[in-house]
């Protein structure tokens, strides 16, 4: 797992060999310890280079080992032995040096990086801290403020930035291992006294307390309840205030509390879940590894509203030729200006040229005749979309994939409007489409595996986390959101306030509570959908039927607000009030509170005290129960798919691992018991009735989340 060879006569070359990312597994660590010993004891070796095979230095500790009985030599003494060596050791960094990989490099006396390499102390993203000396060495090397930034965010830096910060000594466009060997030859025999980072004093600003207080406040705010970033600040503080050996003790102490925490488990689950969703499968048996995608060179976007503009930008930024079609004159002119502005701002941020020439605009749908793939992004109206699909089916060349960016509508019905329904899939982007990472790829019963594979691959190329899901109203994300939103409204009816509900959800870790989020998205969006579904009945201000639709409990609160022209941020009033239309800071609105009181009186509801726990249980368990139904229906292939959709598309706090992982952490029996309780209390809310799959999982001993897929398969075969 680490090969030792002698090169250029006197350089000991140690190559990490643990594909695919040269992670520091027990065997790899043993290999390094053995190879270092060999290099140090070989009198012909005057200096040493450590590199990784296949163009990647090291992806850090082996995450798969966490939670198991870890054997083999620990990282800290291994890195100390390298630093203490009396022969110079040079790290040759190609590809990635992340987490323990960068900590290993910081134990070396010199670092040479390829210009395309990326470096980072990424442990915080896994709920940990850089506990192989990273929190103690990095601040000594680059100073406290820069180290805090890297360690608390886990962000990746380019080789150029690493050079600027002083993390690496040389950057090369040539072969980094060859350059490191040359470097090692040049430093052989030189004193290493000034090269051991652990011996450096930590450069510190004069007012350490003030600095750390300020940083801690900022980190707490952005952490949304995650504990690892806080522990990272505490560990760096130890570097700034204690001698190295005591700092190391503090690092280990803090790590011990993180290592076994539920948050670390959740974040590590997300790491693997994110990769697992790429290995998609369909109920037909079609899979990622047996379905060949087609290359897309030219794509079209139909409809340049908010979504269409974002999609066009995202496609152009991927390097594709894009035909952007908008038939309405006013929208066409406005969209052209907006799209160019979005690309220019994006390019400025990345220091690149805006890909303006990648997009051609047209007001005529005939312009899409020769594209490989179309993404329809017209208004969310089935009749309009039907018409567009009928046109596309006759205009486009043979074999063009036809995709719809719908957030809820029936993809199979749209496929039925075309000559080749197998070429039709849904591509559900999230707003703003050029920024948000999530893409739901929706397959209908007639979508071909190739169409799904192509949309999944295109999503990946666009930098999206793509999840393949089945076709049903709202797919996965929005279908689960519906009971969540409804519960929030019912809670208001019963005595809660928007502030109370949002406060509970934000404390849980959501960036925005449900009412702030609705104000941001626009209340009119849901109103329009409810009108389309025949749920809005303006005449029914009171009486028992005012709060019942289709035999189920219904809350008209949202409709009543919309009737008042309160659409949220855009009108300056919604569940909160805003200083002016378009303002973003929600403020307490006395009008809304009187309105709620009047509403309750009108409907004979006596407000009761509702606590945060009830808010969380009702909103989250309703959403989770729908998640189980989605699994039962085969709309999502596994809990990982649902969790990744929620983490990337709905700001579910990553350190809680997604709704299905969260349910497994709470305990399925407890979720079942609470759902039963709430269903008994609210029998007119059918979706609170615990789903059969949940009952069966509990009956089969509540297997851990990574075993659900298998358990579901078994349960299905028993039916
Ligand atoms: C204390 C804690 C310490 C000291 C640590 O070091 S914690 C680990 C810190 N390391 C990281 O955070 C890096 C994690 N890995 C990545 O960011 C990326 O994998 C990569 C940039 C290194 C490579 O990216 P890419 O080429 O796109 O490949 P994938 O991400 O798809 O990964 C390929 C497979 O390798 C598995 N993998 C990646 N890193 C590790 C790791 N550190 N330990 C174990 N396995 C790892 C990854 O899961 C993929 O496998 P599958 O899941 O697809 O089976």
């Amino acid at each position: 797992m680490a090969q030792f060879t002698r090169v250029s006569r006197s350089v000991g070359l140690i190559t990490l060999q643990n594909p695919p990312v040269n992670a520091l597994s027990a065997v790899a660590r043993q290999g390094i310890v053995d190879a270092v010993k060999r290099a140090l004891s070989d009198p012909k070796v005057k200096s040493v280079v450590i590199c990784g095979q296949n163009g990647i230095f090291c992806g850090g500790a082996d995450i798969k080992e966490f939670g198991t009985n870890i054997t083999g030599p620990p990282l800290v003494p291994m890195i100390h032995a390298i630093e203490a060596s009396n022969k110079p050791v040079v790290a040759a960094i190609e590809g990635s040096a992340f987490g323990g990989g960068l900590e290993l490099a910081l134990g070396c006396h010199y670092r040479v990086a390829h210009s395309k390499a990326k470096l980072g102390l990424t442990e915080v993203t896994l709920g940990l801290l850089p506990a192989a000396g990273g929190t103690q060495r990095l601040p000594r090397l680059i100073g406290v403020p820069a180290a805090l930034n890297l360690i608390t965010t886990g962000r990746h830096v380019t080789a150029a930035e690493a050079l600027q910060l002083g993390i690496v000594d040389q950057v090369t466009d040539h072969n980094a291992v060859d350059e490191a060997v040359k470097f090692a030859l040049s430093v052989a025999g030189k004193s290493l006294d000034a090269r051991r980072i652990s011996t450096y004093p930590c450069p510190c600003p004069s007012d350490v307390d003030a600095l750390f207080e300020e940083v801690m406040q900022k980190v707490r705010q952005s952490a949304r309840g995650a504990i690892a970033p806080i522990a990272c600040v505490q560990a760096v503080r130890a570097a700034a205030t204690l001698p190295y050996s005591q700092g190391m003790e503090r690092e280990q102490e803090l790590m011990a509390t993180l290592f076994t925490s539920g948050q670390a488990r959740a974040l590590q689950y997300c790491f693997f879940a994110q990769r697992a969703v790429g290995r998609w499968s369909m109920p037909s048996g079609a899979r990622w590894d047996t379905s060949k995608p087609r290359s897309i060179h030219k794509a079209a976007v139909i409809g340049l509203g908010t979504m269409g503009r974002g999609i066009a930008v995202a496609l152009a930024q991927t390097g594709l030729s894009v035909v952007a079609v908008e038939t309405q004159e006013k929208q066409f002119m406005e969209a052209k200006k907006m799209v160019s502005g979005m690309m220019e701002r994006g390019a400025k941020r990345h220091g690149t040229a805006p890909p303006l020439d990648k997009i051609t605009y047209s007001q005529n749908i005939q312009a899409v005749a020769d594209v490989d793939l179309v993404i329809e992004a017209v208004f969310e109206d089935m009749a309009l979309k039907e018409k567009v699909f009928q046109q596309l089916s006759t205009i486009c060349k043979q074999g063009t994939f036809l995709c719809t960016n719908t957030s809820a509508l029936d993809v199979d019905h749209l496929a039925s409007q075309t000559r080749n329904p197998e070429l039709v899939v849904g591509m559900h982007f999230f707003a703003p489409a050029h920024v948000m990472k999530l893409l739901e790829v929706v397959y209908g019963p007639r979508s071909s595996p190739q169409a799904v594979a192509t949309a999944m691959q295109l999503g990946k190329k666009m930098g999206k986390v793509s999840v393949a899901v089945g076709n049903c109203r709202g797919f996965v994300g929005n279908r689960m959101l519906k009971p969540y939103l409804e519960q929030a409204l019912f809670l208001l009816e019963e005595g809660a306030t928007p502030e109370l509900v949002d406060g509970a959800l934000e404390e849980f870790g959501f960036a925005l509570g449900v009412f702030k989020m609705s104000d941001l998205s626009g209340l009119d969006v849901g109103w329009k959908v409810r009108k389309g579904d025949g749920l809005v009945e303006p005449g029914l201000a009171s009486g028992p039927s005012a709060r019942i639709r289709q035999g189920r409990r219904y809350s008209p609160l949202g409709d009543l607000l919309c009737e008042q022209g309160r659409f949220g941020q855009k009108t300056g009033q919604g569940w909160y009030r805003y200083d002016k239309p378009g303002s973003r800071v929600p403020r307490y609105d006395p009008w809304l509170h009187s309105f709620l009181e009047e509403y309750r009186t009108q409907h004979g509801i006596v407000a009761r005290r509702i606590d945060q726990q009830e808010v969380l249980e009702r909103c989250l368990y309703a959403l989770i129960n729908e998640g189980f139904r989605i699994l039962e229906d085969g709309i999502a292939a596994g809990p990982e798919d649902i969790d990744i959709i929620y983490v990337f598309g709905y700001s579910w706090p990553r350190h809680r691992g997604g709704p299905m992982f969260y349910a497994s952490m709470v305990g399925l029996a407890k979720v079942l018991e609470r759902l039963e309780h709430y269903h008994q209390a609210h029998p007119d809310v059918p979706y609170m009735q615990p789903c059969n799959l949940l009952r069966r999982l509990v009956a089969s001993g509540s297997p851990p989340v990574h075993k659900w897929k298998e358990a579901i398969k078994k349960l299905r075969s028993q039916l």
Side-chain angles (χ1 to χ4, degrees):
M1 289 283 189
Q3 188 191 50
F4 174 83
T5 48
R6 192 152 49 79
V7 297
S8 300
R9 291 174 172 226
S10 64
V11 178
L13 180 65
I14 297 172
T15 309
L16 308 190
Q17 296 180 327
N18 185 16
V21 301
N22 297 321
L24 296 166
S25 63
V27 181
R29 295 194 304 276
Q30 189 63 58
I32 298 172
V33 168
D34 294 343
V36 169
K37 266 193 197 140
R38 210 171 141 190
L40 298 188
S41 61
D42 184 342
K44 292 197 190 91
V45 171
K46 306 293 179 208
S47 53
V48 180
V49 167
I50 300 181
C51 66
Q53 75 169 7
N54 295 333
I56 173 162
F57 181 69
C58 175
D62 185 344
I63 307 165
K64 289 190 181 106
E65 277 185 355
F66 299 164
T68 67
N69 184 21
I70 299 180
T71 57
L75 270 180
V76 170
M78 180 190 98
I79 294 173
H80 272 148
I82 292 169
E83 193 188 57
S85 146
N86 54 7
K87 297 178 186 179
V89 184
V90 183
I93 302 172
E94 297 175 300
S96 316
F98 289 149
L102 179 54
E103 293 177 282
L104 167 64
L106 292 173
C108 297
H109 306 109
Y110 300 94
R111 286 153 293 281
V112 172
H114 188 266
S115 53
K116 296 224 164 83
K118 292 269 174 72
L119 299 86
L121 289 179
T122 50
E123 286 91 338
V124 70
T125 64
L126 298 164
L128 305 173
L129 55 76
T135 65
Q136 303 305 299
R137 285 198 178 87
L138 194 65
R140 286 179 160 79
L141 184 64
I142 65 171
V144 170
L148 273 170
N149 172 267
L150 260 59
I151 292 172
T152 57
T153 61
R155 82 179 170 89
H156 300 176
V157 298
T158 59
E161 188 181 352
L163 184 67
Q164 198 185 13
L165 287 169
I167 299 176
V168 299
D169 303 285
Q170 187 183 311
V171 174
T172 177
D173 288 326
H174 304 290
N175 182 307
V177 180
D178 292 348
E179 292 302 309
V181 168
K182 277 191 222 157
F183 196 102
L185 285 167
S186 75
V187 293
K190 285 199 177 154
S191 165
L192 293 172
D193 289 349
R195 301 300 314 176
R196 296 187 178 100
I197 300 172
S198 70
T199 65
Y200 295 5
C202 189
C204 233
S206 52
D207 198 347
V208 180
D209 287 341
L211 170 76
F212 278 94
E213 212 163 287
E214 192 191 325
V215 171
M216 191 59 106
Q217 218 170 4
K218 272 194 199 146
V219 168
R220 267 191 217 285
Q221 240 170 30
S222 60
R224 296 203 262 141
I227 54 174
I230 312 285
C232 285
V233 178
Q234 291 168 328
V236 175
R237 191 189 167 102
T241 53
L242 297 173
Y244 175 76
S245 60
Q246 285 177 35
M248 283 301 287
E249 278 171 24
R250 183 78 178 122
E251 183 186 275
Q252 296 309 306
E253 224 172 75
L254 289 162
M255 176 65 167
T257 60
L258 295 180
F259 198 68
T260 50
S261 70
Q263 293 198 2
R265 279 173 62 193
L267 287 158
Q268 289 156 28
Y269 162 82
C270 283
F271 175 84
F272 289 115
Q274 190 178 336
R275 280 142 185 92
V277 297
R279 297 188 285 272
W280 56 271
S281 63
M282 286 158 63
S284 64
R287 293 158 47 102
W288 64 285
D289 52 352
T290 52
S291 311
K292 203 168 174 299
R294 223 179 313 135
S295 295
I296 302 299
H297 304 286
K298 191 168 182 182
V301 181
I302 313 280
L304 297 180
T306 311
M307 291 308 291
R309 293 171 198 176
I311 296 168
V313 170
L315 287 168
Q317 284 172 342
T318 309
L320 266 67
S321 296
V322 182
V323 180
V325 178
E326 172 58 63
T327 52
Q328 305 219 346
E329 173 74 19
K330 190 166 167 266
Q331 178 117 303
F332 178 74
M333 299 311 289
E334 200 180 289
K336 268 174 88 169
K337 233 178 33 207
M338 295 284 279
V339 166
S340 299
M342 284 153 80
M343 285 199 283
E344 270 155 10
R345 283 193 295 278
K348 201 169 162 195
R349 261 199 309 278
H350 296 110
T352 53
L356 298 174
D357 59 342
K358 287 283 172 198
I359 304 191
T360 52
Y361 298 88
S362 176
Q363 284 183 267
N364 186 346
I365 196 167
Q366 299 288 342
V368 307
D370 68 340
V371 304
D372 307 313
L373 181 141
V374 181
I375 302 175
E376 163 277 310
V378 301
F379 195 71
E380 193 78 341
D381 175 88
M382 185 50 109
L384 178 60
K385 284 185 191 274
E386 274 175 6
K387 198 172 142 219
V388 172
F389 269 74
Q390 288 158 8
Q391 283 178 303
L392 290 173
S393 186
T394 57
I395 294 167
C396 291
K397 70 179 182 191
Q398 191 65 29
T400 298
F401 295 108
L402 303 181
C403 311
T404 172
N405 171 59
T406 168
S407 57
L409 298 179
D410 184 351
V411 171
D412 191 44
H413 178 76
L414 287 173
S416 72
Q417 306 301 306
T418 69
R419 289 188 195 140
N420 298 95
E422 73 280 5
L423 297 174
V424 177
V425 289
M427 286 181 89
H428 177 205
F429 290 85
F430 289 70
H434 60 304
V435 175
M436 289 289 285
K437 292 274 280 180
L438 180 66
L439 174 68
E440 280 184 320
V441 171
V442 188
Y443 53 80
R446 289 177 283 181
S447 307
S448 72
Q450 187 177 51
V452 178
T454 303
M456 289 292 284
Q457 193 189 53
L458 178 60
K460 194 171 174 192
K461 234 176 136 184
M462 293 165 86
K464 307 289 178 202
V465 177
S466 311
V467 186
V469 300
N471 181 35
C472 65
R473 182 80 191 257
F475 317 127
V476 170
N478 285 345
R479 173 167 158 183
M480 286 169 69
L481 200 64
K482 197 169 173 247
Y484 167 83
L485 295 172
E486 259 194 30
Q487 282 302 311
L489 291 178
F490 295 162
L491 285 160
L492 287 195
E493 289 187 337
E494 291 165 37
T497 61
E499 288 81 4
L500 174 92
V501 175
D502 283 353
L505 294 168
E506 285 164 19
E507 201 160 298
F508 179 78
F510 282 99
L512 291 179
V514 55
F515 293 109
K516 286 185 194 160
M517 182 50 89
S518 302
D519 271 2
L520 172 68
S521 317
L523 305 189
D524 52 326
V525 180
W527 191 36
K528 216 166 255 170
V529 174
R530 292 192 297 276
K531 274 185 187 165
D533 290 345
L535 293 169
V536 178
E537 295 178 16
L540 285 177
S542 57
S545 50
R547 294 170 52 234
I548 294 174
R549 298 288 185 280
Q550 297 156 3
R552 303 164 173 210
R553 181 172 173 185
Y554 176 82
S555 170
L557 278 173
D559 305 335
L560 295 172
L561 253 58
C562 287
E563 280 168 25
Q564 302 271 339
R566 296 177 71 107
F567 294 166
Q569 286 187 7
K570 61 177 124 176
T571 56
Q573 292 171 322
W575 297 108
Y576 296 88
R577 73 177 172 80
Y578 301 84
D579 289 343
K580 58 177 194 304
S583 290
R584 288 172 177 265
V585 184
R587 301 195 191 281
Y588 174 90
D589 189 348
W591 180 91
L592 193 275
H593 288 255
S594 320
F595 161 77
L596 286 176
E597 272 167 34
E598 269 171 40
Y599 174 88
R600 289 182 199 121
T601 312
Q602 195 177 8
H603 293 280
I605 303 167
V606 180
R608 62 183 177 84
R609 207 187 145 271
I610 290 168
D611 62 16
Q612 292 210 336
Q613 190 178 340
E614 181 174 350
V615 172
L616 290 183
E617 287 183 348
R618 283 179 58 184
C619 292
L620 302 185
Y621 294 175
L623 176 145
I624 286 166
N625 198 29
E626 198 60 37
F628 279 112
R629 284 203 186 90
I630 280 170
L631 287 174
E632 195 173 58
D633 296 350
I635 294 295
E640 295 85 358
D641 302 78
I642 296 177
D643 286 334
I644 288 302
I645 286 172
Y646 261 80
V647 166
F648 283 93
Y650 295 84
S651 97
W652 182 282
R654 195 178 166 99
H655 61 268
R656 294 199 187 260
M660 307 321 278
F661 180 88
Y662 175 68
S664 79
M665 292 293 270
V666 169
L668 298 188
K670 162 108 191 277
V671 175
L672 175 62
E673 182 265 310
R674 297 314 291 156
L675 279 167
E676 267 167 349
H677 165 84
Y678 289 117
H679 185 237
Q680 263 173 24
H682 306 278
D684 51 355
V685 185
Y687 58 73
M688 287 306 254
Q689 180 165 31
C691 145
N692 271 338
L693 175 62
L694 171 59
R695 285 188 193 286
R696 283 164 154 263
L697 284 173
V698 172
S700 64
S702 300
V705 70
H706 66 274
K707 297 232 165 108
W708 288 7
K709 233 180 195 172
E710 206 179 296
I712 294 168
K713 217 187 264 170
K714 213 156 124 199
L715 291 172
R716 273 216 187 98
S717 70
Q718 287 166 3
L719 291 176

